[in-house]
Amino acid sequence: MKMTTRKSVGTYLLERLMKLGVRRIYGVPGDYNLEFLELIERTEGIAFIGNCNELNAAYAADGDARLSGISAVLTTYGVGDLSALSAVAGSYAEGVAVIMISGVPPQHAITQRALLHHTLADGNYENVMACYAQFTVAQARLLPQDAAGEIDRVLGAAWREKRPVYLQLPSDTCCVSVQVPVEQDVPAPCGSDPIQLQAAVANIMERLAKATQPVFFLDALVRRFDLRERVGELSRLLDIPFATLATGKGALCETSPNYLGIYGGKASAPELYERVRTADCIIGLGVRFVDATSGYFSYAFDPDAFINIQAFDTRCGMDTFLGVVVADLLDAIIATIKDRRDVHPSSVADAASGQVPVPVPLPVGQEVTSWGQPAFWARIQAFLRQGDVVLADNGTSLVALTHMRLPAECHFISQPVWAAIGYTLPALLGSLNASPDRRHLLFIGDGSFQMTAQELSSVLRAGHKPVIFLLNNRGYTIERMILGETAAYNDIANWDYAGLPGVMAQQDAALCLRVNSMPELEDALKQAQDPQRLVFIELGFGPMDGPVGISNFGGAVRHYDYGAFDGG
């Protein structure tokens, strides 16, 4: 029998969060969560990070979790929950473990169906829970009779599945003491079915032994489930080259000789597209072919050659193996390879080398002298350095950075699936808190920046020192590439962007620069090399100035969304 003790619901929740590694809770105070906030203030080892609004708070928690593994956000019921919902949905789509906690009205009011503020004044207290059930893997309202068990169940789901969960904490429940276990272990992994695992390993090893042109396909699962060392070792043992989808960029070191580049169907480099098309064994890790990361579904390969490894199951051609945990599978394959040296035929090693040229870095700045985004991005390739955290907002920044080669040990943060513009500015706050000793570079367009601009003040208030590149095209360039090149609906107000840090903090809190030429860029990059305070660089570009390939991207989107559009 487990030993138990008594603790308040709020205390137990905080202890369980900290056991999982949560060190920061982002959010906005509200009348239903204040007692829990008081408890956080008195608890060592965890801090509340106040944000400008709940949407930004959830984005910040997402950015934190991408580096730390898990994070949390606190809102107040109704208005706060629904404000954060879009960001939580993004975390679900992208596979990020965010604990969403809502301070809700007291349980006596819920039971009596009282008509309260922050509700629809109809006595319904299930509608917000119903909303969150669509975008989280587990949910619960914490009541004294089962609070401890529900906390463990819900947090365990987030830990194991690497996706958001939702907890409602009634305001009158936070300080109620309940029976809780004395021992508080990290949730145990679900473990694999041994028979299914053995069968999956045998199937994969047989395919590898016969393969002459194998390739790895890597997606975001590699980072989310902390599989980089395992996948890297497997690639080295078999000398198999790897490509990543845009959603998995940076999954393994892009300076590796086995790195083939970003695969996106016919939007890939022609050599990579052909290499994948003719591959006789494709090992996919967490692969999802979404429109914008697959060349609008223009990928081509032999489906019978595809080994589709997901978090908890594996499919090899037409055979499916359920209850197989990805980490267990990789460990078993590596162990089998080391035990059976004869299953590494020279044909695999020979085929894996030299089939696709190593991606050529973009030219450095001095080779491209005319001002514009092609010249800017070429120079940025040389500016990146080992260990950087690079954030790319949706738009021209993501298009350009996706196809750059990252130096070793870089971490790339973007949101290509949910694709909410403005995500990366508050996510920057989270990533800075999670890893404050690294250099953080944010690339964001003016349209995206206006969505969440308030959170720049939180970055300044915390004294962080990122480098923010604001690409000012005076409107939605990525949309202009699709439709409406000169349409008013793609215009936005042209703010004095470089002047904003001085409004949000003291004048010397940030170094603010404006760049409109290559010489000015060189001077700005020199000052941003080792930032001693926040560096904000506003870059002036024309409305249709974008990176190489952006017009092709726009055309592909236009054709997919609107068919053979003739402008009529």
Side-chain angles (χ1 to χ4, degrees):
M1 176 178 290
K2 286 187 176 181
M3 297 291 292
T4 62
T5 186
R6 296 197 71 85
K7 293 180 180 178
S8 74
V9 173
T11 296
Y12 186 68
L13 175 55
L14 288 179
E15 288 181 355
R16 297 304 282 142
L17 289 170
M18 288 189 286
K19 191 71 174 181
L20 293 181
V22 175
R23 295 294 177 262
R24 291 160 295 277
I25 300 178
Y26 298 85
V28 178
D31 53 342
Y32 297 135
N33 66 27
L34 295 178
E35 193 162 52
F36 188 54
L37 280 169
E38 286 286 313
L39 182 59
I40 295 172
E41 290 280 305
R42 299 192 301 268
T43 303
E44 292 186 6
I46 196 164
F48 177 72
I49 310 295
N51 298 94
C52 297
N53 59 53
E54 293 87 356
L55 175 67
N56 290 357
Y59 281 153
D62 181 295
D64 190 319
R66 290 188 189 230
L67 287 173
S68 64
I70 192 168
S71 191
V73 59
L74 175 66
T75 66
T76 199
Y77 185 70
V79 290
D81 292 345
L82 298 185
S83 175
L85 183 58
S86 178
V88 174
S91 297
Y92 187 99
E94 304 274 334
V96 184
V98 172
I99 313 300
M100 172 68 185
I101 305 166
S102 175
V104 305
Q107 184 57 30
H108 67 79
I110 295 173
T111 302
Q112 297 167 12
R113 298 175 60 85
L115 309 186
L116 302 184
H117 67 286
H118 294 341
T119 76
L120 300 183
D122 60 358
N124 182 356
Y125 287 93
E126 305 306 319
N127 46 17
V128 175
M129 182 73 81
C131 288
Y132 268 87
Q134 311 305 311
F135 304 103
T136 55
V137 293
Q139 315 82 33
R141 180 177 296 152
L142 300 181
L143 304 176
Q145 58 266 35
D146 58 3
E150 287 290 81
I151 288 170
D152 288 347
R153 176 184 68 85
V154 172
L155 296 190
W159 180 255
R160 284 186 288 268
E161 299 189 42
K162 312 304 179 188
R163 280 202 161 101
V165 295
Y166 178 60
L167 289 171
Q168 290 187 345
L169 179 60
S171 59
D172 57 353
T173 301
C174 177
C175 291
V176 175
S177 71
V178 295
Q179 206 80 3
V180 302
V182 172
E183 296 294 331
Q184 298 178 17
D185 298 325
V186 172
C190 56
S192 298
D193 178 283
I195 296 175
Q196 294 279 316
L197 176 61
Q198 184 178 14
V201 171
N203 190 304
I204 293 170
M205 295 307 299
E206 181 180 356
R207 287 167 174 266
L208 283 172
K210 296 177 180 177
T212 59
Q213 293 196 69
V215 66
F216 275 112
F217 258 3
L218 309 182
D219 212 332
L221 173 139
V222 175
R223 269 202 189 276
R224 299 293 181 265
F225 285 83
D226 196 21
L227 303 172
R228 299 184 73 191
E229 289 189 8
R230 291 179 172 93
V231 177
E233 183 177 8
L234 189 55
S235 178
R236 289 188 298 273
L237 283 171
L238 292 174
D239 194 23
I240 294 181
F242 63 91
T244 64
L245 276 69
T247 37
K249 182 171 176 60
L252 287 188
C253 180
E254 295 184 357
T255 60
S256 166
N258 276 339
Y259 177 57
L260 301 177
I262 296 293
Y263 182 80
K266 289 186 176 179
S268 315
E271 298 90 348
L272 176 54
Y273 178 80
E274 189 64 18
R275 174 70 175 82
V276 170
R277 190 187 68 79
T278 59
D280 56 2
C281 182
I282 301 171
I283 304 174
L285 282 154
V287 169
R288 293 184 297 172
F289 291 112
V290 301
D291 52 4
T293 64
S294 66
Y296 277 79
F297 310 108
S298 61
Y299 55 89
F301 54 81
D302 181 0
D304 290 333
F306 188 37
I307 300 171
N308 185 1
I309 301 173
Q310 297 294 335
F312 305 107
D313 60 71
T314 293
R315 186 177 179 88
C316 301
M318 298 300 293
D319 298 318
T320 300
F321 305 93
L322 299 177
V324 175
V325 177
V326 58
D328 296 343
L329 179 62
L330 295 178
D331 286 342
I333 294 172
I334 290 169
T336 302
I337 292 169
K338 290 180 177 179
D339 288 342
R340 295 164 53 190
R341 301 293 179 180
D342 60 318
V343 301
H344 178 45
S346 60
S347 58
V348 172
D350 293 342
S353 60
Q355 289 295 316
V356 180
V358 172
V360 178
L362 292 171
V364 295
Q366 60 265 28
E367 296 176 1
V368 184
T369 56
S370 59
W371 176 243
Q373 285 208 30
F376 168 72
W377 292 115
R379 182 62 184 86
I380 288 301
Q381 174 72 78
F383 181 71
L384 301 178
R385 72 185 185 201
Q386 181 173 338
D388 281 344
V389 178
V390 181
L391 298 95
D393 212 277
N394 281 282
T396 58
S397 297
L398 183 55
V399 171
L401 285 161
T402 293
H403 295 284
M404 281 192 189
R405 171 174 281 212
L406 296 177
E409 299 177 23
C410 283
H411 198 116
F412 189 73
I413 296 178
S414 65
Q415 200 193 50
V417 177
W418 190 241
I421 66 171
Y423 155 76
T424 54
L425 180 57
L428 172 68
L429 174 65
S431 69
L432 285 161
N433 286 332
S435 191
D437 296 329
R438 299 169 71 176
R439 191 175 70 162
H440 294 245
L441 310 177
L442 168 62
F443 298 86
I444 187 169
D446 52 332
S448 297
F449 182 83
Q450 289 196 15
M451 288 283 183
T452 53
Q454 315 97 315
E455 221 56 45
L456 177 61
S457 65
S458 299
V459 176
L460 287 162
R461 181 176 61 154
H464 290 306
K465 304 168 185 177
V467 182
I468 298 175
F469 295 91
L470 188 289
L471 283 67
N472 184 0
N473 288 91
R474 301 190 299 281
Y476 298 120
T477 294
I478 194 75
E479 310 294 356
R480 295 187 199 277
M481 294 290 178
I482 303 170
L483 278 178
E485 177 177 341
T486 60
Y489 58 74
N490 280 326
D491 296 336
I492 62 174
N494 190 28
W495 293 1
D496 177 10
Y497 296 100
L500 280 178
V503 174
M504 296 178 169
Q506 295 179 348
Q507 290 291 330
D508 61 353
L511 172 63
C512 300
L513 305 168
R514 291 183 176 86
V515 170
N516 294 283
S517 68
M518 290 303 294
E520 290 176 351
L521 177 63
E522 289 299 330
D523 181 65
L525 293 180
K526 187 180 300 183
Q527 297 182 70
Q529 189 70 33
D530 295 293
Q532 301 304 305
R533 51 181 169 160
L534 186 147
V535 179
F536 192 100
I537 303 173
E538 180 182 350
L539 304 135
F541 298 115
M544 293 297 287
D545 190 350
V548 174
I550 190 69
S551 59
N552 291 337
F553 175 81
V557 176
R558 180 171 64 250
H559 187 272
Y560 188 85
D561 286 353
Y562 302 107
F565 183 82
D566 61 5

